[in-house]
Amino acid sequence: MLDRADAIMSTILPICRKKKGKLWLVKALNFYAAIRAKQSRYSESLEFLTELMEILNLEESEPGAWRVYDMVYRNFGVTYEGLGRTEEALIYFEKAMNVKVDAGIAATWFDMWDIGRMKSIFAFHSRNESELWAAIDTVKNALDLHERDEGSDKVMCAKILHTVGECYVALAMQREAASVDQGEEEEGQLADSPSDDEQGRRMPRKKKKKKRKERVGKGRRRKKEGKTTANSKTDDDDEEDGNNDDDHDDGRYQLPPEKLFRKALEYLQKSHALFKKHKGPYNPLTGKQAESVAQLLLRLKDYSKAKPFLLDALISAGTRQSAWGGGGESGEDEDSSEALRNVQMIVDNILNAHRETEDRDGLSRYFDGLHALVQNAKARGLGTVDPTGYEGLVFKSAMAIIASGTPDSPRQALQLVDNARTGAIGEFQGQMLATLIDSLAALPASQHP
């Protein structure tokens, strides 16, 4: 669909440039910028939007102008977000909100989602946990407002759920890093203490541990002291019944990293289920969400549960038209290289899941998906834009096939490499084939192609 829209706009845009008046050109530039953003070709999207602003002759204060600027500013925000320019993205998302508010229109769930998403990135990089919780509250507010105003749009609901899940992942990673820092600090304090003052070295740690227990066990003590009622809950009760104790200020700062990761998984799986139901199992949105779920399951060492998500992610990547960068057409090498690294990670995660579960035979179910993935990357010119990244994808995909150890795996691996050939990697082909031949030599003769 995106490829078709791209082809149509490449024909329409030159026509609009020649027409008298700028209305149709403004519309064309805005629409084409949105397409480029969906293709992860953000530099081109920014060029279109910049041109649009140069010819847009409309004051924000004019009646109805807020509708135009709301759309254009949001597209700027999405584009800057894709370019990793978070500060500029936040500026434009706030401009999109303010242009409505100035016109007497209330801020929407879309505004809350965009702004909360950007603020969560700032908070994560600055390691500001309180700001990260505030960002989560903002995004959850967006989720509630969306349910109230446009609850029938389940795809957008899935997108907001994904953001909440990613925020919890960021919190868990931040909490892990803080634990490591605290451990190193305490070790440093021990190392600096006098070796003959053993009691003096231990006492501060006991006191510190006691204070930590007092904070974490606050609910337990209240229960022992008889200060709870039959209808009241402690922090420990919340952990057992799975309630959202992270929504309460008393408990959210005491949650361990694993529970935060599990909370993230809950939101990410809900998001994936909605995408799968309303967009299909291999839609690009569903596939990317399957990647997110699989990566988190692997982090939690739930390797077997990750496998079906990895298969869906692979099949989706082999058919999708978006998120490949500019390919050979635009020369957006950085976006294309990032796309290649992302799909290589899918292959790496597949190998990891099956290695950890000692499931070589199960790798055969990925053969078709690996062939399709490499061919999709080749068709988009990535072998020309980033030969090294493309070679890495081809090699890892071939080795994943060989690792299965099935009788047909050597032939399948050589076929994948042969079909992947492009003029840009001719020299590498010899090295790759030599490596594959060495790998095949280690197999029984009965399995040779």
Side-chain angles (χ1 to χ4, degrees):
M1 185 68 70
L2 274 177
D3 287 346
R4 186 183 305 171
D6 189 356
I8 293 172
M9 289 308 303
S10 67
T11 301
I12 291 176
L13 185 59
I15 298 173
C16 292
R17 291 189 192 280
K18 295 177 181 178
K19 280 187 169 291
K20 292 182 179 181
K22 301 297 183 181
L23 176 60
W24 286 106
L25 180 56
V26 167
K27 291 183 176 181
L29 288 168
N30 187 62
F31 188 68
Y32 214 171
I35 292 174
R36 284 291 186 253
K38 288 181 179 294
Q39 293 173 318
S40 297
R41 296 164 69 167
Y42 298 109
S43 296
E44 290 179 82
S45 176
L46 184 58
E47 290 176 6
F48 287 140
L49 290 171
T50 302
E51 181 183 352
L52 184 159
M53 289 301 291
E54 290 174 352
I55 64 174
L56 184 58
N57 186 19
L58 185 66
E59 294 294 330
E60 289 186 9
S61 58
E62 292 184 33
W66 68 267
R67 297 180 184 276
V68 176
Y69 282 103
D70 177 37
M71 178 174 54
V72 173
Y73 288 155
R74 179 164 285 114
N75 282 342
F76 264 108
V78 170
T79 297
Y80 280 124
E81 181 183 0
L83 290 169
R85 294 160 62 173
T86 309
E87 185 173 355
E88 290 160 289
L90 179 58
I91 289 172
Y92 274 95
F93 286 139
E94 289 180 335
K95 284 166 71 76
M97 178 182 68
N98 291 335
V99 75
K100 290 194 294 293
V101 173
D102 291 343
I105 308 299
T108 66
W109 60 264
F110 220 140
D111 298 314
M112 297 298 101
W113 178 45
D114 287 334
I115 292 171
R117 196 170 66 246
M118 293 304 97
K119 287 188 174 180
S120 71
I121 296 173
F122 278 119
F124 175 72
H125 289 300
S126 63
R127 299 183 69 171
N128 189 326
E129 184 168 329
S130 62
E131 288 298 320
L132 194 45
W133 277 115
I136 286 182
D137 291 339
T138 299
V139 178
K140 284 186 172 180
N141 184 36
L143 190 62
D144 291 339
L145 290 174
H146 176 269
E147 177 64 26
R148 184 195 69 187
D149 298 338
E150 300 180 42
S152 61
D153 186 352
K154 299 303 181 183
V155 172
M156 186 54 71
C157 178
K159 292 180 179 181
I160 305 174
L161 286 168
H162 169 82
T163 302
V164 178
E166 288 294 294
C167 286
Y168 277 111
V169 170
L171 270 172
M173 293 173 65
Q174 215 170 68
R175 192 67 58 80
E176 277 188 336
S179 298
V180 171
D181 291 345
Q182 182 179 354
E184 291 176 350
E185 181 181 346
E186 291 181 355
E187 288 179 9
Q189 290 173 351
L190 288 174
D192 293 337
S193 301
S195 58
D196 60 342
D197 189 12
E198 195 66 26
Q199 184 66 16
R201 185 169 61 184
R202 280 200 292 262
M203 283 301 292
R205 288 172 57 79
K206 285 186 177 180
K207 290 179 181 179
K208 192 175 293 184
K209 186 175 182 181
K210 183 178 180 181
K211 287 182 179 179
R212 187 158 55 247
K213 281 187 176 180
E214 287 176 354
R215 291 194 303 268
V216 177
K218 184 177 179 182
R220 187 182 293 113
R221 281 205 321 281
R222 286 200 305 265
K223 191 172 183 179
K224 287 181 178 179
E225 293 167 2
K227 293 183 180 179
T228 57
T229 65
N231 294 325
S232 63
K233 289 187 178 181
T234 67
D235 293 340
D236 300 301
D237 294 330
D238 284 338
E239 287 191 20
E240 289 177 4
D241 64 21
N243 285 348
N244 295 333
D245 54 349
D246 50 87
D247 289 335
H248 305 291
D249 290 339
D250 290 342
R252 57 170 46 176
Y253 289 98
Q254 307 303 327
L255 293 171
E258 182 170 350
K259 182 160 187 181
L260 289 168
F261 279 127
R262 293 288 176 186
K263 194 67 180 174
L265 182 62
E266 176 186 330
Y267 280 98
L268 294 178
Q269 286 182 317
K270 286 180 180 178
S271 174
H272 177 263
L274 285 176
F275 279 132
K276 190 171 185 177
K277 179 178 180 179
H278 296 280
K279 300 296 287 185
Y282 308 125
N283 178 272
L285 292 171
T286 314
K288 293 298 292 184
Q289 194 62 25
E291 288 180 48
S292 297
V293 173
Q295 288 173 7
L296 190 48
L297 286 168
L298 291 174
R299 188 178 191 118
L300 293 167
K301 302 187 186 304
D302 289 341
Y303 301 108
S304 295
K305 291 181 181 178
K307 292 176 186 177
F309 292 100
L310 288 168
L311 180 59
D312 284 356
L314 178 66
I315 295 173
S316 173
T319 58
R320 71 182 180 215
Q321 300 175 8
S322 59
W324 285 107
E329 296 180 8
S330 72
E332 292 194 5
D333 297 8
E334 187 174 344
D335 291 341
S336 297
S337 297
E338 180 67 21
L340 283 168
R341 286 192 291 271
N342 289 339
V343 293
Q344 280 190 54
M345 187 179 295
I346 297 175
V347 181
D348 287 338
N349 287 337
I350 288 170
L351 285 168
N352 183 31
H354 285 262
R355 184 187 305 112
E356 292 292 339
T357 55
E358 299 182 353
D359 179 19
R360 294 184 64 186
D361 293 343
L363 287 168
S364 61
R365 71 178 66 122
Y366 303 97
F367 284 5
D368 290 344
L370 290 167
H371 282 287
L373 175 63
V374 170
Q375 286 303 300
N376 198 6
K378 177 183 177 181
R380 300 193 177 277
L382 302 189
T384 301
V385 174
D386 183 3
T388 302
Y390 179 69
E391 291 160 5
L393 174 63
V394 174
F395 181 75
K396 287 184 177 182
S397 299
M399 294 308 294
I401 292 175
I402 288 178
S404 70
T406 62
D408 194 42
S409 63
R411 182 190 66 80
Q412 291 263 7
L414 288 173
Q415 182 183 8
L416 182 143
V417 173
D418 190 54
N419 291 339
R421 292 184 183 184
T422 68
I425 62 171
E427 181 179 347
F428 180 79
Q429 289 297 325
Q431 300 173 4
M432 186 181 295
L433 287 170
T435 303
L436 284 174
I437 290 171
D438 289 342
S439 300
L440 295 175
L443 296 175
S446 61
Q447 293 188 24
H448 288 185

